[in-house]
């Protein structure tokens, strides 16, 4: 593996039991994502896109195969180490924003920094910078309920980038947004990729969103299609 | 951990109605617990006052209700270290109407000069003292009792006998003030003797013994009881404080009753609190998943939820202590069977114990929901739609 590879999986498999049914969510996935790439993972519902994203973020554990992210074998880490690793290296953007409703935009963005050794003022400075970067420097004291969907997602992106992670993972980041807000969010992610060199993996259903990515990979029934291949239907 | 405090407090206040109701339920329970603990503390942890520390009470070893020979007094007086001895006979009787508890107060037949000497802390004007000593039908009442019953000097008080089959016509000649036992009526034993004729047979309920120093008290107690060890009527001598606690035992095992009620209150509020916390945590499982995604460890999430529960419970406990303090005021002014109740208040150790109990209630009631939440996998938590 070269230094340039951020994510590398081989024969990655995820199986689980749902009720009495045996489900194979991922079947022998081999993928390599390089530093600075913006990869869109596409495929129909149940194809395993989100499962792959969760495995990359060490939010779930594979049942087979290997996975290295940012040079780290995730299977070698215990829970505490994984939590720390995730805090330092991964920024995650959810479809439904998942901001903490009792915290202001600034406090939401500051939250991941509470796990660092930064002093309060430093944390606030970083959070303010992140909010300015996403264009919400004037909304720092607003609670999530006082923001539009697009603004909430921007706050979520600010929270994802505030620790300056090398890798940003986005799970349907425009799924809950109108076309205009979606466009803004995708532009923002693209800006983070191009201007700040962040590696981004984004799960999406939307072909328009996928056009912002530098590379598109398709999954079908848990299998990753060859590079350049698209599902038959 | 302090860096998470604002987050914990904001989370605590997230559902204001539920949090308020939880605080109210905890505070009401802690108020009751606080008063019970205050009573327990007053009975079993309060030190004797300096005047009490010098006094012993001698009674029949069989029971307080069984009298003993009055002539024991002379032998007790000769024991080294004894400064004075006063006889005291519980009269009982009925004042006005037995059915009204307000009319119940302690009435003792005593030797006026001796009781004033033994209870040196009683303060009253000299002329009143002399009137009480020299007038056979005179009585002396505590200031608190006089205020409660609206007794004034010169008032006539009629006591209908029940233990003793005589009615006594007394005149208030003295009103004393004392830090304790301030709701007692004392009258002349001689009057009772004359009213009863020969029916009392020289028997008496208790002797109050005044020691020359607190250090002599245990030795005097032993000496008195040893003197009558081989007599047909044996004695039991104890400090005045112990005697008061013994008097309390007429009500049953007070210690056990108080502790049982305290335990029941604590257990009940723990169940209520556990239910509320479980509900609150269940609603936020998804957020737990988000926090874990941001890098929060299981331990931190466990601490956050426990901290939240402890904060709510402790606030409830603090409100409860304030309420209990107010309730103690009502109890102090109500009918009391013990002088300790007259001085009932929430002492600092009781307040601290209440707050500690509240914190522990929060901790225990939240532990299982918090543990389960912290153990939920991120994927499972994010899937939660509650």
């Amino acid at each position: 593996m070269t230094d340039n590879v951020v994510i590398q999986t081989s024969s990655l498999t995820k199986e689980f039991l749902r009720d009495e049914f045996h489900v194979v969510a991922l079947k022998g996935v081999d993928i390599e994502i390089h530093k600075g790439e913006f990869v869109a993972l596409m495929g129909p519902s149940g194809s395993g896109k989100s499962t792959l994203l969760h495995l990359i973020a060490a939010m779930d554990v594979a049942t087979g195969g290997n996975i290295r992210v940012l040079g780290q074998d995730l299977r070698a880490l215990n829970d505490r180490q994984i939590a720390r690793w995730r805090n330092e290296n991964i920024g995650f953007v959810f479809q439904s924003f998942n901001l903490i409703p009792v915290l202001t935009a600034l406090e939401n963005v500051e939250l991941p920094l509470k796990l660092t050794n930064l002093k309060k003022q430093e944390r606030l400075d970083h959070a303010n910078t992140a909010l300015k970067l996403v264009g919400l420097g004037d909304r720092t004291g607003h609670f999530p309920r006082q923001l539009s969907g697009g603004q909430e997602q921007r706050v979520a992106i600010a929270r994802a980038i505030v620790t300056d992670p090398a890798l940003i993972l986005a799970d349907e980041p425009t799924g809950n947004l109108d076309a205009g807000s979606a466009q803004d969010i995708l532009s923002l992610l693209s800006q983070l990729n191009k201007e700040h060199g962040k590696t981004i993996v984004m799960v999406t259903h939307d072909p328009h969103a996928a056009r912002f990515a530098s590379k598109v990979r398709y999954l079908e029934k848990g299998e990753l299609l060859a590079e350049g291949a698209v599902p038959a239907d | 951990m302090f860096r998470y405090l604002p987050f914990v407090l904001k989370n605590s206040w997230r559902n204001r109605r539920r949090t308020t109701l939880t605080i109210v339920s905890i505070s009401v329970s802690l108020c009751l617990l606080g008063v019970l603990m205050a009573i327990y503390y007053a009975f079993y942890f309060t030190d004797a006052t300096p005047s009490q520390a010098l006094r012993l009470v001698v009674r029949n070893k069989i029971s307080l209700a069984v009298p003993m020979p009055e002539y024991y007094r002379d032998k007790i007086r000769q024991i080294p270290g004894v400064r004075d001895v006063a006889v005291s006979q519980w009269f009982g009787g009925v004042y006005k109407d037995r059915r009204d508890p307000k009319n119940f107060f302690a009435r003792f037949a005593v030797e006026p000069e001796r009781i004033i000497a033994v209870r040196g802390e009683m303060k009253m004007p000299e002329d009143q003292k002399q009137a009480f000593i020299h007038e056979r039908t005179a009585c002396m009442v505590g200031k608190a009792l006089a205020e409660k019953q609206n007794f004034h000097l010169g008032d006539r008080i009629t006591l209908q006998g029940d233990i003793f089959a005589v009615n006594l016509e007394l005149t208030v000649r003295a009103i004393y003030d004392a830090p304790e036992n301030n709701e007692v009526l004392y009258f002349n034993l001689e009057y009772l003797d004359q009213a009863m004729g020969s029916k009392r047979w020289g028997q008496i309920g208790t002797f109050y013994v005044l020691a020359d120093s607190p250090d002599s008290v245990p030795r005097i107690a032993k000496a008195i009881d040893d003197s009558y060890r081989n007599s047909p009527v044996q004695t039991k001598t104890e400090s005045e404080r112990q005697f008061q606690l013994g008097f309390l035992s007429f009500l049953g095992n007070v210690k056990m009753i108080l502790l049982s009620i305290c335990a029941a209150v604590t257990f009940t509020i723990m169940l209520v609190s556990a239910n509320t916390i479980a509900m609150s945590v269940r609603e936020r499982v998804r957020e737990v998943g988000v926090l874990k995604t941001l890098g929060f460890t299981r331990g931190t999430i466990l601490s956050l939820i426990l901290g939240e529960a402890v904060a709510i419970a402790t606030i409830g406990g603090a409100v409860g202590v304030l309420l209990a303090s107010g309730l103690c005021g009502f109890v102090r002014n109500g009918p009391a069977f013990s002088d300790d109740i007259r001085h009932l208040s929430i002492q600092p150790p009781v307040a601290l114990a209440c707050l500690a109990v509240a914190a522990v209630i929060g901790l225990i009631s939240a532990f299982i929901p918090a543990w389960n939440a912290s153990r939920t996998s991120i994927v499972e938590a994010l899937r939660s739609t509650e």
Side-chain angles (χ1 to χ4, degrees):
Chain A
M1 189 176 75
T2 65
D3 289 345
N4 211 23
V5 177
V6 174
I7 300 165
Q8 186 178 47
T9 72
S10 61
S11 308
L12 194 66
T13 305
K14 177 66 184 177
E15 299 172 7
F16 53 85
L17 279 173
R18 182 170 289 168
D19 299 326
E20 67 270 32
F21 300 107
H22 179 246
V23 179
V24 181
L26 283 180
K27 259 187 275 183
V29 171
D30 298 306
I31 190 169
E32 223 176 64
I33 294 173
H34 296 86
K35 192 176 175 183
E37 280 186 329
F38 185 169
V39 178
L41 292 176
M42 293 191 73
S45 293
S47 60
K49 310 180 295 292
S50 292
T51 304
L52 179 57
L53 203 68
H54 291 155
L55 292 178
I56 293 169
M59 288 157 65
D60 204 355
V61 182
T63 44
N66 295 306
I67 179 164
R68 288 185 82 86
V69 180
L70 298 161
Q72 179 68 55
D73 179 1
L74 298 182
R75 293 182 152 207
L77 302 178
N78 62 29
D79 282 345
R80 183 177 278 271
Q81 289 168 326
I82 282 179
R84 190 177 175 82
W85 174 84
R86 206 185 288 124
N87 176 254
E88 288 171 354
N89 298 293
I90 305 289
F92 206 98
V93 182
F94 302 93
Q95 179 179 350
S96 49
F97 327 135
N98 284 331
L99 299 178
I100 308 293
V102 292
L103 301 181
T104 62
L106 186 68
E107 289 166 337
N108 263 291
V109 177
E110 186 205 354
L111 205 52
L113 296 175
K114 282 188 184 278
L115 299 165
T116 67
N117 292 325
L118 293 176
K119 293 194 169 67
K120 172 133 184 108
Q121 194 51 53
E122 292 173 315
R123 293 201 304 267
L124 292 177
D125 290 345
H126 279 71
N128 268 312
T129 306
L131 278 169
K132 277 180 195 152
L133 193 68
V134 299
L136 287 176
D138 56 341
R139 295 281 192 277
T140 54
H142 286 59
F143 287 94
R145 63 176 181 279
Q146 298 167 323
L147 300 170
S148 68
Q151 288 172 329
E152 279 196 77
Q153 193 62 297
R154 281 163 184 258
V155 175
I157 291 173
R159 182 177 66 184
I161 61 172
V162 74
T163 54
D164 194 23
L167 180 60
I168 294 172
L169 305 173
D171 193 355
E172 303 267 13
T174 57
N176 283 2
L177 300 177
D178 59 75
S181 300
Q183 181 75 20
D184 290 345
I185 293 300
L186 290 166
S187 302
L188 183 59
L189 289 174
S190 184
Q191 181 193 344
L192 289 169
N193 171 247
K194 286 180 180 144
E195 291 175 20
H196 299 272
K198 302 291 178 195
T199 306
I200 299 176
V201 181
M202 174 178 72
V203 163
T204 184
H205 273 109
D206 180 9
H208 171 73
R211 278 202 284 274
F212 283 79
S214 55
K215 192 186 277 182
V216 180
R217 300 296 303 266
Y218 289 92
L219 281 133
E220 194 174 42
K221 293 178 184 168
E223 290 184 71
L224 184 73
L225 303 186
E227 206 166 334
V230 292
D233 47 351
Chain B
M1 196 63 209
F2 282 110
R3 63 171 55 191
Y4 300 117
L5 195 60
F7 184 39
V8 166
L9 293 177
K10 284 186 176 187
N11 263 334
S12 309
W13 201 231
R14 174 186 291 242
N15 188 328
R16 292 179 185 199
R17 186 185 301 166
R18 184 169 55 210
T19 303
T20 306
L21 289 174
T22 308
I23 288 174
V24 168
S25 61
I26 291 176
S27 61
V28 169
S29 306
L30 262 293
C31 167
L32 177 60
L33 191 70
V35 173
L36 291 171
M37 284 166 80
I39 293 173
Y40 192 92
Y41 186 85
F43 286 160
Y44 302 107
F45 287 97
T46 307
D47 291 331
T49 60
S51 51
Q52 275 184 325
L54 287 174
R55 279 196 295 269
L56 299 105
V57 182
V58 186
R59 64 172 175 88
N60 191 308
K61 190 177 180 182
I62 295 171
S63 161
L64 185 60
V66 182
M68 58 190 163
E70 200 173 325
Y71 65 78
Y72 276 15
R73 167 186 48 198
D74 302 327
K75 198 169 175 184
I76 292 170
R77 193 169 278 150
Q78 287 165 13
I79 291 172
V82 172
R83 208 193 282 168
D84 212 333
V85 180
V87 297
S88 172
Q89 177 60 53
W90 172 262
F91 178 73
V94 178
Y95 172 65
K96 286 185 180 173
D97 182 1
R98 184 193 292 274
R99 287 167 299 184
D100 187 349
K102 271 192 211 161
N103 293 328
F104 176 78
F105 50 87
R107 299 133 197 171
F108 289 102
V110 294
E111 298 164 308
E113 260 181 298
R114 298 275 62 76
I115 197 70
I116 288 170
V118 170
R119 285 202 62 197
E121 76 275 16
M122 292 193 297
K123 302 293 174 212
M124 73 199 92
E126 187 58 31
D127 58 327
Q128 292 182 25
K129 190 193 287 183
Q130 293 306 321
F132 174 54
I133 291 170
H134 294 108
E135 193 178 319
R136 197 171 48 88
T137 59
C139 72
M140 169 175 75
V141 295
K143 191 179 170 194
L145 179 62
E147 283 168 3
K148 204 166 164 185
Q149 297 288 347
N150 202 22
F151 290 150
H152 299 97
L153 292 175
D155 282 0
R156 301 291 294 266
I157 296 173
T158 303
L159 295 179
Q160 289 176 286
D162 45 14
I163 302 169
F164 298 96
V166 287
N167 291 343
L168 302 178
E169 294 284 340
L170 304 168
T171 309
V172 179
R173 291 295 181 212
I175 296 176
Y176 71 87
D177 196 9
E180 69 262 357
N181 294 320
N182 215 0
E183 287 191 36
V184 180
L185 180 148
Y186 293 107
F187 64 91
N188 201 324
L189 181 65
E190 209 179 294
Y191 181 34
L192 179 63
D193 281 341
Q194 286 176 0
M196 290 291 292
S198 59
K199 293 177 203 156
R200 236 176 39 83
W201 303 110
Q203 299 289 305
I204 200 76
T206 50
F207 295 109
Y208 277 82
V209 178
L210 183 67
D212 57 2
S213 79
D215 296 340
S216 309
V217 167
R219 183 183 52 75
I220 294 172
K222 187 172 182 307
I224 294 171
D225 290 344
D226 285 350
S227 301
Y228 299 105
R229 193 168 301 284
N230 297 316
S231 307
V233 180
Q234 296 180 15
T235 58
K236 182 172 181 184
T237 308
E238 45 200 354
S239 68
E240 188 174 285
R241 185 85 197 128
Q242 285 173 319
F243 174 76
Q244 284 172 346
L245 290 178
F247 197 73
L248 207 62
S249 67
F250 280 119
L251 297 173
N253 191 342
V254 177
K255 216 177 223 184
M256 182 57 81
I257 293 168
L258 285 174
L259 289 176
S260 304
I261 300 173
C262 286
V265 170
T266 308
F267 183 68
T268 309
I269 192 59
M270 204 176 282
L271 293 182
V272 173
S273 177
N275 189 38
T276 312
I277 302 285
M279 236 168 21
S280 160
V281 171
R282 206 165 44 237
E283 284 170 6
R284 280 187 281 150
V285 171
R286 192 179 176 86
E287 270 179 36
V288 169
V290 174
L291 291 177
K292 282 188 168 183
T293 306
L294 297 180
F296 282 69
T297 60
R298 287 175 179 178
T300 312
I301 287 168
L302 183 72
S303 310
L304 289 175
I305 299 172
L306 289 181
E308 196 180 314
V310 169
I312 291 174
T314 310
I315 292 169
V319 176
V321 168
L322 291 177
L323 291 176
S325 196
L327 193 57
C328 281
F330 281 107
V331 175
R332 275 199 301 271
N333 296 323
F337 54 85
S338 161
D339 208 50
D340 292 317
I341 301 292
R342 290 267 156 256
H343 304 106
L344 194 67
S345 64
I346 302 291
Q347 296 295 315
V350 173
L352 285 177
C354 281
L355 291 178
V357 167
V360 169
I361 285 174
L363 207 60
I364 294 177
S365 60
F367 189 78
I368 292 177
W371 177 266
N372 288 339
S374 71
R375 265 16 192 196
T376 309
S377 77
I378 296 179
V379 174
E380 204 180 315
L382 291 176
R383 211 179 280 143
S384 165
T385 52
E386 248 185 302

